[in-house]
Amino acid sequence: MGDRANVFVKMGTERHPEAGVYLYTHWGGTELPGILGRVLARKERWDDGPCLARIILLEMSRPLASVDDDGCGVSTYRPDNDRYPILIVDVKKGSVSLGEPDGEYDEPPRLRLPERTWSFEWFVALPEVTWDVLM
């Protein structure tokens, strides 16, 4: 049971271009695109990976305050995922992409299709971001 989904905040460095963290929600998967859209609409810390990841996680955890301890988390590998793609937030490129949720848990998500990549500005321009809009 649950509504699990993940955001991968990619903060790569020269030595580790795929480095990043997973932000996991156990109950908020359906709402995750909208949550990400609201965070990006603030236009805060778009170029600061650690701070942007914190802001996303805080917004993800807000509706879960009264739910059990399995609400959300942070990981260097992909936690459990439900039926959703991985939302890949690429800090250096200022973009959001859809990634494949399958594969090894300790590997970065693979991009789905080049046309499934959008700028942060695109998210800000939408009145509402849902899985239907993204897929």
Side-chain angles (χ1 to χ4, degrees), residues 26-55:
H26 187 85
W27 298 108
T30 303
E31 304 302 319
L32 199 52
I35 290 169
L36 182 58
R38 284 193 303 275
V39 168
L40 293 177
R42 296 178 195 168
K43 299 184 179 184
E44 297 175 349
R45 304 294 188 151
W46 280 6
D47 60 350
D48 185 342
C51 288
L52 183 58
R54 173 188 47 84
I55 295 167

Side-chain angles (χ1 to χ4, degrees), residues 6-7 15-16 34 38 42-43 50 69 73 83 85 92 99-100 105 108 110 113 124 132:
N6 291 274
V7 173
R15 289 185 61 199
H16 305 284
R38 284 193 303 275
R42 296 178 195 168
K43 299 184 179 184
D69 290 337
R83 62 190 179 275
K92 293 197 182 303
E100 294 292 343
Y105 279 95
R110 292 184 301 275
L113 299 168
V124 171
D132 289 338

Side-chain angles (χ1 to χ4, degrees), residues 3-133:
D3 187 25
R4 298 173 300 278
N6 291 274
V7 173
F8 181 72
V9 183
K10 183 177 173 183
M11 304 177 235
T13 65
E14 281 189 41
R15 289 185 61 199
H16 305 284
E18 300 299 317
V21 295
Y22 282 92
L23 308 176
Y24 163 79
T25 181
H26 187 85
W27 298 108
T30 303
E31 304 302 319
L32 199 52
I35 290 169
L36 182 58
R38 284 193 303 275
V39 168
L40 293 177
R42 296 178 195 168
K43 299 184 179 184
E44 297 175 349
R45 304 294 188 151
W46 280 6
D47 60 350
D48 185 342
C51 288
L52 183 58
R54 173 188 47 84
I55 295 167
I56 295 168
L57 184 64
L58 287 173
E59 190 68 25
M60 286 171 63
S61 65
R62 187 178 313 269
L64 305 171
S66 62
V67 180
D68 65 32
D69 290 337
D70 288 340
C72 60
V74 179
S75 180
T76 56
Y77 61 89
R78 182 178 53 80
D80 195 8
N81 200 67
D82 211 352
R83 62 190 179 275
Y84 305 106
I86 307 297
L87 289 167
I88 303 169
V89 176
D90 191 319
V91 175
K92 293 197 182 303
K93 292 182 180 177
S95 67
V96 177
S97 303
L98 295 184
E100 294 292 343
D102 55 7
E104 297 300 318
Y105 279 95
D106 60 349
E107 292 179 2
R110 292 184 301 275
L111 291 179
R112 270 195 169 181
L113 299 168
E115 66 267 15
R116 296 290 188 225
T117 298
W118 307 277
S119 69
F120 287 172
E121 289 84 6
W122 184 85
F123 270 77
V124 171
L126 289 176
E128 182 179 21
V129 183
T130 65
W131 286 113
D132 289 338
V133 169

